[in-house]
Amino acid sequence: MSRLVDYFVIVGFDHEKERGGLSNGVILQRFPETNWEDTPFHEGIEWFCQPQGWALSTERSEPRFYVSVLTDVDANRHYCACLCFNETVAITPTKPADEDEESLDSTRPVANITHHSIMYAPKCLVIVSRQDYIDTFRNCLGIIYTVWVENLGVPLETLVGNLVGCVLVPPAGGPQVRFSIGAGDRQALQPPAAPPMPVTHTAVHMLLRLLGIHNSVTLWCAVMSEHKVLLVSLAAARLSAACRALAALMFPFRYAHVYIPLLPAGLAEVLATPTPFLIGVHSSLKEEVSELLDVIVADLDVGSLHIPGSVNIPQPSGRLLAGLQRALALVLQPELRSADSAFAPPPPAASPPHLLDKEIRAAFMRTLATLLQGYRHCLTIIRIHPSPVLTFHKAGFLGSRGLSTCPFAVRLLDSMFFNGLVAERGPPWRPTDIFDELIQNLPEQLRLESLNPDYELQHIQDLAMQLHLNENPNPQVHDNSTYQQRVLRPPAGAEARIHQPPLPALDAARVRDVIRDLAQRNANNPKLTALRPPQARIVPPAAPPTGGEEPGQLLVTNSARRLEVCHIFNPSFGYLI
């Protein structure tokens, strides 16, 4: 079990360093105030709370939510979920008298001219976590904001302490977790079934909808061949979702270069780095990045893709690329199958976005599985070292598959992504996942599809259902008949109230006491100490408390996962290792 939230931070406008309405952010409070031993606090987090910079505004804006991603020195991603709102501040600038008036009568004292105005300063509630539960972060921050705005009488210290101290999440393959942070809310989250599988919800479908098939495939090829890719949009949510989608479409590879879905304007010099990257920036910086000669720029708002003349993006061989584009067309436009029929049946009903998302991912997965067919036969183990070393015979693989003239395959095998794939999936006697099963079953599927093309869409949908079940292994999370989540929301127009008081400073000692009490309760809870997913099984109480779960109480259900064995074939000796 690991914490859902590592740190809760309140970041505000730094009035002491204000210059002409521009300033920096300053951390007003953070909880816990001392670092966790396993997760140090990230300095400079205030840069990512306001990507366009900290500045006063003359107009009140509605609360916004977006997620930034911070990467530590060990390449571990930390999610920084921000809920930003405005607070009213009174500005009283002092202006010296005109020098011409002073010259007319130097003996007469002249008073300074004072201007009074109302401005709005940004403030952010921030959750920093190693877990990827964006919707849960949005709900928790929304509850805290609603309790403050509506003055519901629940101490904010209790909510923050419960959020940081009581909510524990099992790893992938673990059971469902139900919890409350103490405001009468009821929430549930479900870890995915398999650890390496990315979770996308509808991010991939959004990317294809905004860019189209051709631009999306080109952008995917650019990411797979380690080019510099920059995404531009007016919406921070689109940038985060598009970066998540591109990283997920690489599966089973993992993006290992600079990954910043939301780059602050003050750190724009990062774009001059010589290393590959996948970065998202606000459209206000579009003119500044247009001068970069080796960066591929995708505008998500207008659906355009700009490729500099000096950049050459390798693409898969003709049949492989045509097959990917055909599969995407069948998924996104199912009416194509019967468009020319003289007696065409009614058009099939379109799949919902969350299933279309998985069908698109399935088409890309099948393309990579087709390209990597037989890669395990070229894995060899060198035993002359103190510990065995796993290597890949690249020339043998390219020659046996006839891919020596395919620049996309050559570039992919030389990439850092492929080295990570060999290190992660090369060793024998390891748990397998959906991609391993796809590698094994794809030749038979392709044979059936050559006899009957209608099988292609069916196989894609079958694989998509496996991806969907990985993200939603327990349908009770979304089944309102068995468990209905309850999340507080402020009424419409709450942010426009004129006499809304500022967010008060939290009592740090009280938050510490709540976190300490909950930590002791969880440590003495035999249900939590005995939980070892996926083998453990914890039975929830027969009757949960009325009005929601008690803060700190975890109700979990069982989930099982199957482990298999995969082997490495050494062509030099002709046996399984």
Side-chain angles (χ1 to χ4, degrees):
M1 302 285 283
S2 58
R3 296 181 300 271
L4 173 66
V5 175
D6 293 320
Y7 296 96
F8 180 85
V9 190
I10 301 177
V11 185
F13 185 85
D14 190 354
H15 294 276
E16 296 181 358
K17 298 181 180 180
E18 178 186 356
R19 294 294 184 271
L22 297 176
S23 178
N24 295 322
V26 58
I27 296 178
L28 303 177
Q29 290 183 292
R30 51 162 283 200
F31 305 100
E33 298 172 299
T34 57
N35 291 354
W36 297 105
E37 294 182 358
D38 57 343
T39 309
F41 184 75
H42 288 267
E43 300 297 335
I45 196 175
E46 59 273 13
W47 286 87
F48 294 87
C49 297
Q50 288 289 317
Q52 295 178 257
W54 290 84
L56 298 178
S57 174
T58 58
E59 298 181 356
R60 189 193 301 265
S61 61
E62 64 180 8
R64 294 165 296 142
F65 175 84
Y66 43 81
V67 179
S68 298
V69 179
L70 311 177
T71 306
D72 59 21
V73 294
D74 298 325
N76 298 318
R77 294 176 183 173
H78 299 253
Y79 298 90
C80 177
C82 306
L83 189 149
C84 301
F85 55 94
N86 288 341
E87 285 187 342
T88 304
V89 294
I91 305 298
T92 310
T94 301
K95 180 180 179 181
D98 190 86
E99 295 180 357
D100 294 335
E101 296 179 0
E102 293 181 357
S103 62
L104 295 178
D105 187 2
S106 59
T107 61
R108 177 172 56 89
V110 180
N112 290 332
I113 302 174
T114 304
H115 299 274
H116 297 272
S117 61
I118 299 298
M119 302 289 285
Y120 301 97
K123 180 170 285 189
C124 299
L125 305 178
V126 185
I127 284 177
V128 181
S129 174
R130 294 164 295 172
Q131 310 295 332
D132 185 11
Y133 294 101
I134 307 303
D135 291 338
T136 301
F137 298 153
R138 185 199 304 268
N139 294 338
C140 292
L141 291 177
I143 291 171
I144 296 174
Y145 176 82
T146 304
V147 168
W148 163 60
V149 169
E150 296 300 308
N151 193 19
L152 297 182
V154 181
L156 297 180
E157 293 84 355
T158 301
L159 301 181
V160 173
N162 290 337
L163 179 62
V164 177
C166 84
V167 187
L168 302 178
V169 182
Q176 177 192 136
V177 175
R178 300 175 182 176
F179 68 94
S180 169
I181 63 174
D185 58 302
R186 296 192 303 177
Q187 302 186 61
L189 58 86
Q190 173 65 54
M197 296 292 297
V199 176
T200 56
H201 303 297
T202 60
V204 175
H205 174 251
M206 183 213 71
L207 180 68
L208 270 289
R209 179 175 57 85
L210 295 177
L211 294 182
I213 294 177
H214 176 74
N215 286 345
S216 298
V217 171
T218 303
L219 198 62
W220 173 75
C221 293
V223 174
M224 295 294 299
S225 54
E226 297 185 306
H227 279 90
K228 301 179 182 180
V229 174
L230 183 66
L231 305 178
V232 179
S233 176
L234 289 171
R238 283 187 173 182
L239 296 174
S240 299
C243 289
R244 173 192 294 265
L246 286 171
L249 290 179
M250 297 179 60
F251 185 81
F253 301 96
R254 294 186 179 183
Y255 195 80
H257 298 296
V258 179
Y259 179 83
I260 310 176
L262 200 56
L263 180 69
L267 302 179
E269 63 273 8
V270 173
L271 298 176
T273 179
T275 60
F277 58 70
L278 178 57
I279 295 178
V281 298
H282 191 267
S283 294
S284 59
L285 300 178
K286 188 174 181 179
E287 297 299 329
E288 300 182 18
V289 303
S290 61
E291 301 178 357
L292 301 175
L293 301 179
D294 58 345
V295 178
I296 301 167
V297 181
D299 193 322
L300 302 177
D301 299 334
V302 301
S304 64
L305 185 64
H306 172 68
I307 304 175
S310 59
V311 175
N312 180 28
I313 301 178
Q315 294 187 343
S317 58
R319 294 182 58 184
L320 201 60
L321 179 61
L324 173 60
Q325 294 175 339
R326 183 186 65 254
L328 293 176
L330 290 176
V331 168
L332 297 175
Q333 307 169 32
E335 66 276 6
L336 283 177
R337 302 175 61 186
S338 58
D340 294 334
S341 176
F343 306 99
S351 301
H354 66 277
L355 287 181
L356 276 178
D357 181 275
K358 307 306 176 289
E359 292 175 6
I360 295 170
R361 286 178 54 187
F364 280 94
M365 280 185 59
R366 283 167 54 90
T367 301
L368 287 176
T370 303
L371 182 65
L372 297 178
Q373 277 293 312
Y375 82 98
R376 298 195 64 82
H377 296 282
C378 296
L379 294 173
T380 59
I381 293 182
I382 303 176
R383 302 182 182 274
I384 61 176
H385 296 275
S387 59
V389 177
L390 190 66
T391 62
F392 180 77
H393 199 299
K394 183 181 69 174
F397 176 79
L398 293 174
S400 62
R401 293 292 313 280
L403 297 174
S404 301
T405 59
C406 178
F408 180 82
V410 175
R411 186 75 173 266
L412 179 62
L413 297 185
D414 288 334
S415 67
M416 185 183 298
F417 310 140
F418 190 80
N419 294 332
L421 177 78
V422 171
E424 178 182 355
R425 293 179 174 268
W429 310 105
R430 62 170 178 84
T432 62
D433 58 14
I434 297 176
F435 187 78
D436 295 304
E437 297 177 359
L438 178 61
I439 285 283
Q440 179 180 358
N441 299 330
L442 188 60
E444 178 63 19
Q445 292 182 7
L446 295 178
R447 186 187 69 81
L448 294 176
E449 292 168 12
S450 64
L451 301 176
N452 186 355
D454 292 340
Y455 280 123
E456 181 178 7
L457 185 59
Q458 178 182 341
H459 291 153
I460 290 176
Q461 292 175 343
D462 291 343
L463 179 58
M465 184 55 63
Q466 296 183 53
L467 297 175
H468 173 70
L469 293 177
N470 175 72
E471 290 188 11
N472 304 277
N474 191 342
Q476 291 183 358
V477 177
H478 307 283
D479 188 356
N480 294 334
S481 63
T482 57
Y483 183 80
Q484 185 174 5
Q485 298 194 72
R486 183 168 61 227
V487 179
L488 303 182
R489 287 289 184 268
E495 72 280 355
R497 294 171 182 167
I498 299 177
H499 302 291
Q500 179 66 42
L503 181 70
L506 304 187
D507 186 347
R510 189 171 182 178
V511 176
R512 286 196 300 268
D513 293 340
V514 173
I515 296 176
R516 183 182 64 251
D517 294 343
L518 291 172
Q520 294 176 354
R521 182 189 305 179
N522 290 336
N524 297 327
N525 190 342
K527 295 182 179 181
L528 296 180
T529 56
L531 183 59
R532 295 293 183 271
Q535 293 84 2
R537 180 177 182 178
I538 300 180
V539 181
T546 305
E549 283 68 38
E550 178 186 357
Q553 180 183 17
L554 302 181
L555 308 181
V556 295
T557 56
N558 189 35
S559 174
R561 218 178 91 205
R562 180 169 56 94
L563 302 183
E564 297 179 350
V565 175
C566 109
H567 307 274
I568 297 180
F569 180 73
N570 189 326
S572 301
F573 299 95
Y575 61 86
L576 293 175
I577 298 178

